[in-house]
Amino acid sequence: MTDFDVCLSQEPAAQQWGDNAPLSMNNTGATIHLSDSPDPLRSIAVAARTLDNLNISKVRLQGDWSFEQQWTFAMSYTRPRTPGTITWADTPDKDKLKNHFAALQFTRQLVNDTPEDLSPENLARRAANWIKELGGDKVSIEMTTGEALKDAGWMGIYNVGRGSERPPVLLEADFNPTGNPNAPVDAVLVGKGITFDSGGYSIKSSEGMLDMKCDMGGAATVTGALGLAMTSGLKKRVKLLLCCAENLISGHAYKLGDVITYKNGVTVEVVNTDAEGRLVLADGLLRATETGAPLIIDAATLTGAAMVALGKDYHAVFSMDEAARQKMLASAQQENEKFWPLPLEPFHKNRCPSAFADTANSRPQKGGGGAGASNAAGFLARFVNPEGKGWVHLDLAAAYNGSATSDMPVGATAKGIRSIARMLHDF
C-alpha cells in the first residue's frame, strides 16, 4: 500500500467540502485546513482521528509541519489495535520525533496490555528491560518481590499485593550516567503500578472495574518519561521506583480494619481497600526520601476526585513546595501538556482520621468525600520530608480514555511524559 500524504494549508477548503471544512481529500491524500480554526492543534487532532477512522494505515506528513503539529497528529492518529504508521515530514525535528514517539508507544502499550499479560513482575521486568536497553551499563536494576517485601519493611506494597497469586514487586532502576557509584541522586520518579484493581473487598462494580488495567498508568508514565529524558541527553542520576501489585480478593487479601505499620513508624488503618494506590506509593516515597534526592515526583492514577475536578483533559499537580509546583507547571506549559494545580496544605495530612491508627487511608464514604484528591495527597505527604520540599505529586486524570473521543483514541494517552522529562532536565 502506498503512503497516504497529509499536508497542512492555511487556505480554506474548496466549497464542495462544506463551509469551513477542516479536511479535504485528493487523489493522493488529504489536506488539513487551519485557516479558520480557533485552535489549530485541536483541528489537527480531529483530522487525525478522522483519517484513522477511515482505516488509512500508512500516512506521510508532507510540507511544512512544526514539531508540535506532528506530535499532535501522532498522538491522535495512533490507536491501540493495529495502529497506522507515520512517515515524518522532512524537517530538522525528525530524530527528536522518533525518540519522543518511541517513548509514547512504550508508555501506551504498557498501559493498554491486558491485566492477564501484565502481572506485577512482568510490569517491573518490562520497564527495567527498556530502561536498561536505553542506558546500558549506566543502569542498574534491583527488584524486591513477594515475601521479601515484608522482610524489607515495604508493608504497603506487600499488603495490597498479597491477595494475588502473582507476587507484588518494588522495582528500583538506577540511571547513573556519571560513572561514579557515590554520585548524589538528583531525582527520583515513583510510579503507582497496580496492574489490576478490583477494589479488593471494597469491590468495584463491573463498569468501574472494566478499565482498571490502566491503574498502572503512573508507573508507565514515569518510565516513559525517564526513557525520553535519557534519549534526550539526560546527564543527571535518576532513580525509578515502581510500586507494582494486583489488588485482588482471596483468603490472603488485606481487609478493612487492618492496620499497616510503615518503615517510618506511621500506622494506617485500612477503611477502604480500593484506596490502595496511596498505600503502595507510601513505600515508594519512603524509599525515594532515603536517597536524599532534591526532587521527587510521584505519578498515579490515584483518585476519581481529580477527574471530577479536571475531567480527562488535565493532570492534577500537588505540592507543598511552591517552587517545585511552579517548576512542574512551567515544564508542562513549555511542553504543551495540560497540568493544573489543586490544593495541598499541611492540614490535609489529617483529613483521614482514625481512632485505631495515626491515619486512615481514606474516609469511609463514597469517593473519600469532599476534597478526595487533596486528602489523598495529604496522606502521601506523611511519607516525604515534613515540609514536602522538592516533592511533586501528580494525579493522572488524563492518562486513559475508556472510549475514543473526537480528538483522542481509546486507551492510554501517555500525556505527561514530556513534562516530567523536561522537569528532570531543568530542575
Side-chain angles (χ1 to χ4, degrees):
M1 180 182 290
T2 59
D3 286 347
F4 186 87
D5 292 338
V6 182
C7 61
L8 302 177
S9 174
Q10 296 300 324
E11 300 296 325
Q15 187 61 42
Q16 67 260 30
W17 295 102
D19 293 337
N20 302 319
L23 190 68
S24 65
M25 303 285 188
N26 55 51
N27 290 336
T28 60
T31 300
I32 302 172
H33 298 274
L34 305 178
S35 57
D36 296 315
S37 174
D39 187 346
L41 290 180
R42 177 172 168 75
S43 295
I44 291 172
V46 172
R49 291 301 315 131
T50 300
L51 295 175
D52 181 51
N53 287 331
L54 293 173
N55 291 318
I56 296 170
S57 60
K58 295 178 67 177
V59 299
R60 179 171 54 197
L61 306 184
Q62 292 277 54
D64 187 17
W65 290 72
S66 70
F67 173 86
E68 287 298 339
Q69 289 169 334
Q70 294 187 80
W71 178 256
T72 298
F73 185 94
M75 286 273 289
S76 298
Y77 173 73
T78 314
R79 58 179 158 175
R81 187 164 178 254
T82 59
T85 60
I86 302 171
T87 300
W88 307 109
D90 189 14
T91 69
D93 294 321
K94 288 180 76 170
D95 289 340
K96 180 182 177 182
L97 278 163
K98 289 176 182 177
N99 288 338
H100 276 63
F101 193 60
L104 171 81
Q105 289 179 303
F106 174 84
T107 304
R108 285 186 171 182
Q109 183 175 352
L110 208 57
V111 177
N112 288 332
D113 273 357
T114 71
E116 178 61 26
D117 291 336
L118 199 70
S119 68
E121 286 182 292
N122 192 13
L123 168 59
R125 191 177 305 112
R126 286 173 61 179
N129 288 347
W130 189 61
I131 294 298
K132 185 74 173 176
E133 179 184 325
L134 297 177
D137 59 7
K138 297 175 183 176
V139 175
S140 59
I141 303 295
E142 181 179 349
M143 293 189 195
T144 308
T145 305
E147 292 297 317
L149 289 162
K150 183 179 181 181
D151 296 338
W154 303 123
M155 300 305 294
I157 302 171
Y158 173 76
N159 276 283
V160 170
R162 65 188 172 96
S164 172
E165 294 181 355
R166 304 196 289 187
V169 181
L170 173 61
L171 166 69
E172 181 168 332
D174 185 355
F175 172 63
N176 185 4
T178 69
N180 176 9
N182 298 316
V185 178
D186 295 294
V188 183
L189 302 178
V190 183
K192 172 187 171 183
I194 301 297
T195 56
F196 187 74
D197 182 18
S198 71
Y201 280 104
S202 305
I203 192 167
K204 295 177 182 290
S205 66
S206 292
E207 295 80 6
M209 211 184 296
L210 178 60
D211 292 331
M212 283 300 103
K213 65 181 182 181
C214 81
D215 214 18
M216 38 62 64
T221 298
V222 291
T223 304
L226 177 56
L228 176 57
M230 290 166 62
T231 57
S232 302
L234 184 67
K235 302 301 182 186
K236 299 175 181 177
R237 184 177 186 181
V238 177
K239 286 184 179 264
L240 174 72
L241 303 175
L242 301 188
C243 309
C244 308
E246 284 183 314
N247 186 21
L248 300 182
I249 296 171
S250 74
H252 195 49
Y254 80 129
K255 299 169 289 295
L256 286 84
D258 284 352
V259 173
I260 300 172
T261 302
Y262 282 86
K263 274 186 134 181
N264 64 347
V266 171
T267 56
V268 178
E269 181 191 6
V270 177
V271 301
N272 185 350
T273 60
D274 196 22
E276 84 298 329
R278 65 200 72 180
L279 296 176
V280 302
L281 283 176
D283 281 335
L285 291 174
L286 285 171
R287 174 63 192 123
T289 301
E290 287 178 354
T291 69
L295 174 64
I296 298 171
I297 301 173
D298 79 75
T301 50
L302 201 63
T303 68
M307 286 189 284
V308 170
L310 301 176
K312 293 190 175 181
D313 299 305
Y314 289 82
H315 291 324
V317 181
F318 299 85
S319 184
M320 296 191 296
D321 182 337
E322 178 67 22
R325 178 173 57 245
Q326 291 303 322
K327 191 70 177 176
M328 186 76 255
L329 292 168
S331 296
Q333 186 174 32
Q334 288 171 297
E335 292 296 327
N336 201 38
E337 293 187 318
K338 296 184 185 300
F339 284 45
W340 198 260
L342 289 181
L344 176 59
E345 302 285 349
F347 65 76
H348 283 113
K349 295 181 184 180
N350 301 310
R351 285 296 176 86
C352 298
S354 168
F356 301 97
D358 296 324
T359 183
N361 70 325
S362 184
R363 298 180 69 89
Q365 57 193 107
K366 184 174 177 61
S374 292
N375 294 342
F379 175 90
L380 295 177
R382 290 174 174 269
F383 301 94
V384 294
N385 64 78
E387 298 78 27
K389 186 171 178 57
W391 167 56
V392 177
H393 163 55
L394 303 176
D395 199 331
L396 303 180
Y400 189 88
N401 293 312
S403 57
T405 67
S406 62
D407 62 340
M408 285 295 290
V410 66
T413 68
K415 292 177 179 178
I417 60 173
R418 292 174 58 184
S419 302
I420 298 171
R422 176 176 281 272
M423 186 75 161
L424 294 177
H425 280 286
D426 294 350
F427 187 81

